[in-house]
Amino acid sequence: HDGHCVFYPLTHNLHEDGILRTSVALPQPNTQLQQQAEQMLSAIMNELGYVGVMAMECFVVGDSLLINELAPRVHNSGHWTQNGASISQFELHLRAILDLPLPTPVVSTPSVMVNLIGTELNYEWMSQPLVHLHWYDKEVRPGRKVGHLNLNDANASLLATALNDLTPLLSAEYHSGLRWAQQKLLA
């Protein structure tokens, strides 16, 4: 309401066939890109007089960001905040529109979100100690987002191992995204 903006760290996203499959958020993003993203998005939000959570999807081109898409709402690329931030994007959105305090969310651990697309519920996912299941209770259909898995831990190596342990519990279409997330965590 007063032009004050707070931000989450930049999130790396893997899209396959135009669908977000996996997101990785690290507590210490590239400082230059983070500052650029914050300047770009705050300028857009202030110009529009927008209040609430807004997601900005960008391509990294050299040392700069190129905006691909704006989503004036909570977004599945930010679902990791449910378990990986002190304030989730959902709560932050409500705080913003209700004109409640907006402290900068604390993000102290790496996080991974795996979008569940057209996949049947598997309670075995919950046997993994770092997995948080968010199931939407929708009819499962091909291409439909039916839930997501969040994983976070202060130790990126343990988080990468947890993704490896999760791999046999998901169909082959998820495996490349899990490997990609492991690479991001261990880079």
Side-chain angles (χ1 to χ4, degrees), residues 5-172:
C5 296
V6 297
F7 298 90
Y8 292 101
L10 292 174
T11 303
H12 301 271
N13 295 314
L14 175 68
H15 292 82
E16 293 176 342
D17 299 323
I19 297 173
L20 176 64
R21 300 298 267 175
T22 310
S23 295
V24 175
L26 302 171
Q28 301 297 324
N30 177 303
T31 304
Q32 176 191 343
L33 292 179
Q34 181 74 33
Q35 289 175 349
Q36 183 183 3
E38 290 181 14
Q39 290 169 354
M40 292 165 64
L41 188 55
S42 60
I44 291 167
M45 292 177 74
N46 286 326
E47 180 66 25
L48 296 174
Y50 182 80
V51 176
V53 168
M54 181 179 285
M56 180 175 74
E57 182 180 288
C58 297
F59 296 108
V60 178
V61 180
D63 293 335
S64 298
L65 297 174
L66 177 64
I67 297 174
N68 178 54
E69 177 184 2
L70 294 172
R73 57 180 165 73
V74 295
H75 193 264
N76 58 0
S77 63
H79 285 350
W80 64 268
T81 64
Q82 291 173 290
N83 302 99
S86 61
I87 303 169
S88 76
Q89 67 171 344
F90 299 98
E91 181 179 340
L92 196 64
H93 184 70
L94 289 173
R95 285 182 180 212
I97 62 175
L98 295 172
D99 200 18
L100 295 172
L102 293 176
T104 299
V106 176
V107 177
S108 55
T109 65
S111 295
V112 176
M113 186 279 302
V114 178
N115 237 351
L116 299 170
I117 312 291
T119 300
E120 293 291 337
L121 177 61
N122 181 352
Y123 287 110
E124 286 186 57
W125 300 324
M126 296 170 64
S127 68
Q128 303 299 312
L130 298 183
V131 171
H132 300 272
L133 170 63
H134 298 270
W135 190 253
Y136 307 159
D137 203 26
K138 293 180 177 180
E139 178 186 346
V140 176
R141 295 191 307 238
R144 186 178 205 187
K145 296 174 189 169
V146 293
H148 62 276
L149 303 174
N150 283 341
L151 298 87
N152 65 297
D153 193 86
N155 184 321
S157 294
L158 287 177
L159 189 51
T161 299
L163 291 172
N164 195 53
D165 294 344
L166 182 62
T167 300
L169 301 178
L170 290 164
S171 62

